[in-house]
Amino acid sequence: MTALPPQPLSPLDGRYRAAMGTLPDYLSEAGLNRARVEVEVEWLLHLADNRVFGTDPVPVETQDKLRLAYLDFGQEEIDWLAEKEAVTRHDVKAVEYLVRDRLERLGLGHLAELTHFACTSEDINSTAYALTVKRAVQDGWLPTFREVIEKLRAVSLELADAPMLARTHGQPATPTTMGKELGVFVWRLERVLARIEATEFMAKFSGATGTWSAHLAADPLVAWPQLTREFVEGPLGLTFNPLTTQIESHDWQVELYDHVRHAGAILHNLAQDIWTYISLGYFTQIPVAGATGSSTMPHKINPIKFENAEANLEIAGGLLQTLGQTLVTSRLQRDLTDSTTQRNIGVAFGHSRLALTNLLGGLDQISLARDVLLSDLDGNWEVLAEAIQTVIRAEVVAGRSEISDPYALLKDLTRGHRLGADDLAEFVRGLDIGDAAKERLIALTPATYTGLAESVVKSKIAG
């Protein structure tokens, strides 16, 4: 058997590459290296702007040319770094040499020693990861997550008045509306969205063990903590972590990944519920021209979008949980377990985004079968037992009835029995309750016994 040409090992880089959007621009090895170059360049320019060690600020036009090292970062730089790292055996050192090379090309060799000045690798890495994760989340993941919420909101509002039989414990239960049930997911997801949007993307820039020791040795008169804070929070737009070991503690990452995993768990719940509604016939699936549902059963339209979403949310959730468990801990002042773990951030977000795109596609390909919902409701009149026994209780309290234990009365009537409209009407007419209460109950149907379902949806998630 001959060997295949080079193939992507991950389906995210093969079969599902088109669904990744801009995530690879940030969370790939090349994306990380581009951010590392950006941090190295901006740190050097920041030092020069602040005239550290008597340097003069780099002229604006020269700054623009130097910034091309990361703004125009492409295959040439990727290949250059790969070749250099093969020698250095150190990825961050290779980045430093690339910046030095660009300085020489621009006639700025006299500034070469400001490259990576007083930095440990984690100063560059924590900052680069904060930049790439921030950009990936804000540009490549959040827009799709918000799109899912908005699509779900629109469907929920459209179906706010569509009565359906609830199925608590899988059994017929007090009716609700399809829109209200989907609205619950919107409400839950928006709470998690707010937490994700409030993420602090943090970085350290305080040297080998977080003490600015080398900085002070070089110039004890410079206010290094202030200078580094201004760098991290100014041109980079991140949040500065002033108290760390050699590494930034990664707590912000753990918080973010927990929130994204939480969102995924809610969406997993949604995918399973819609899959179940489809199996019950509540939703019909809109055929896609040319698509095949089964290789042998021509009639089938399988809910593959929701199944794909479910599986990928499980993969993403597992990876995000692993990231959180690993990144929260570092032995003493530093170990490298975080290094290889963080290289999988893109894989976790890739599977999550793939699930989001499948949910969007799935929601676009279903249509509510209102007739099925109404037929289901009409076959389960016994769910009105709750309403009847509750009205009797109210009548007893108001002094208009002397019925004892209304719950037991209705349990004996309905438990294990199938009743119809006429059966319940006859039962109500014989009750010892007021005429107004009887009229309300006789007028009630499973389809109208939905309480405030429609209005609560429209008041809480209308946007």
Side-chain angles (χ1 to χ4, degrees):
M1 184 177 294
T2 59
L4 293 171
Q7 297 294 312
L9 185 60
S10 168
L12 299 181
D13 295 319
R15 181 181 184 90
Y16 301 125
R17 178 62 182 82
M20 294 300 99
T22 60
L23 290 182
D25 290 338
Y26 306 115
L27 298 179
S28 61
E29 185 75 11
L32 175 62
N33 277 332
R34 177 170 60 181
R36 285 166 165 163
V37 174
E38 178 180 356
V39 174
E40 294 279 14
V41 167
E42 294 300 333
W43 174 234
L44 181 151
L45 293 175
H46 185 68
L47 291 172
D49 284 346
N50 283 274
R51 300 180 182 277
V52 175
F53 312 123
T55 57
D56 292 323
V58 177
V60 173
E61 61 273 15
T62 307
Q63 289 186 30
D64 292 341
K65 292 178 181 178
L66 183 57
R67 286 189 171 108
L68 292 178
Y70 65 85
L71 292 174
D72 282 355
F73 189 93
Q75 194 61 51
E76 178 185 348
E77 287 72 24
I78 292 170
D79 294 341
W80 197 101
L81 287 172
E83 183 178 342
K84 184 63 68 173
E85 187 180 345
V87 177
T88 64
R89 302 294 180 179
H90 197 290
D91 47 4
V92 176
K93 201 65 180 176
V95 167
E96 177 187 342
Y97 287 142
L98 185 143
V99 175
R100 286 173 175 266
D101 176 79
R102 296 303 186 267
L103 288 170
E104 291 293 340
R105 294 186 188 186
L106 293 172
L108 298 173
H110 62 287
L111 296 178
E113 293 308 322
L114 288 183
T115 309
H116 202 72
F117 180 80
C119 293
T120 186
S121 294
E122 176 65 6
D123 292 336
I124 306 303
N125 281 336
S126 75
T127 313
Y129 270 115
L131 286 173
T132 55
V133 174
K134 179 180 181 179
R135 291 163 179 170
V137 169
Q138 293 183 346
D139 298 343
W141 186 86
L142 267 177
T144 311
F145 182 49
R146 291 192 188 102
E147 193 175 351
V148 170
I149 294 175
E150 292 310 311
K151 177 63 178 178
L152 199 56
R153 187 196 315 278
V155 175
S156 174
L157 292 171
E158 178 187 352
L159 305 180
D161 66 341
M164 77 170 189
L165 188 69
R167 292 183 177 271
T168 61
H169 304 277
Q171 306 302 308
T174 299
T176 178
T177 72
M178 180 61 80
K180 180 261 181 183
E181 296 311 306
L182 297 181
V184 170
F185 288 103
V186 176
W187 183 256
R188 295 172 68 190
L189 291 168
E190 285 188 322
R191 291 185 68 252
V192 185
L193 172 62
R195 287 159 174 73
I196 295 172
E197 290 176 332
T199 299
E200 290 184 290
F201 298 88
M202 304 187 75
K204 71 162 290 259
F205 224 82
S206 48
T209 57
T211 60
W212 290 277
S213 298
H215 304 68
L216 287 175
D219 190 338
L221 299 180
V222 174
W224 290 107
Q226 178 181 340
L227 188 68
T228 50
R229 176 186 288 276
E230 290 171 352
F231 168 63
V232 169
E233 296 187 346
L236 300 183
L238 302 172
T239 299
F240 182 65
N241 189 340
L243 191 57
T244 71
T245 61
Q246 184 175 94
I247 70 164
E248 199 286 320
S249 304
H250 305 325
D251 292 325
W252 71 266
Q253 290 193 58
V254 175
E255 293 163 3
L256 170 63
Y257 304 150
D258 278 350
H259 293 322
V260 174
R261 182 182 57 81
H262 184 184
I266 296 170
L267 292 169
H268 187 275
N269 190 179
L270 170 71
Q272 288 188 325
D273 275 10
I274 294 183
W275 187 98
T276 303
Y277 291 141
I278 291 171
S279 73
L280 291 171
Y282 287 5
F283 282 114
T284 60
Q285 296 181 90
I286 302 170
V288 176
T292 298
S294 167
S295 62
T296 187
M297 292 176 280
H299 70 283
K300 292 187 71 179
I301 304 176
N302 295 330
I304 57 174
K305 295 289 187 182
F306 297 104
E307 293 169 342
N308 183 292
E310 186 178 333
N312 279 283
L313 288 167
E314 290 170 3
I315 296 170
L319 288 170
L320 291 165
Q321 184 174 23
T322 298
L323 285 166
Q325 288 176 334
T326 301
L327 295 179
V328 78
T329 302
S330 179
R331 293 178 185 87
L332 302 180
Q333 285 70 55
R334 175 59 159 145
D335 71 60
L336 277 175
T337 53
D338 64 332
S339 179
T340 190
T341 303
Q342 289 182 105
R343 294 182 188 277
N344 291 279
I345 295 170
V347 182
F349 276 97
H351 282 286
S352 178
R353 192 179 191 281
L354 176 58
L356 295 176
T357 59
N358 273 282
L359 284 172
L360 283 172
L363 290 170
D364 277 336
Q365 294 172 16
I366 56 175
S367 177
L368 188 67
R370 289 179 180 252
D371 57 330
V372 175
L373 271 65
L374 292 173
S375 176
D376 204 14
L377 287 163
D378 195 49
N380 288 275
W381 281 76
E382 57 271 17
V383 297
L384 296 181
E386 178 197 36
I388 296 170
Q389 64 100 3
T390 304
V391 170
I392 295 173
R393 287 171 181 264
E395 291 291 289
V396 171
V397 173
R400 292 188 291 268
S401 176
E402 295 183 359
I403 297 175
S404 61
D405 201 350
Y407 179 88
L409 179 66
L410 269 297
K411 186 173 80 168
D412 290 342
L413 175 70
T414 60
R415 195 174 191 189
H417 304 291
R418 301 309 299 269
L419 303 173
D422 293 341
D423 300 317
L424 283 182
E426 181 181 353
F427 176 78
V428 169
R429 289 189 184 99
L431 288 174
D432 175 28
I433 59 175
D435 290 340
K438 287 183 180 181
E439 289 177 9
R440 290 201 308 276
L441 288 174
I442 291 172
L444 198 60
T445 71
T448 59
Y449 185 44
T450 58
L452 300 174
E454 180 179 358
S455 63
V456 75
V457 170
K458 292 182 176 178
S459 66
K460 295 301 180 183
I461 69 162

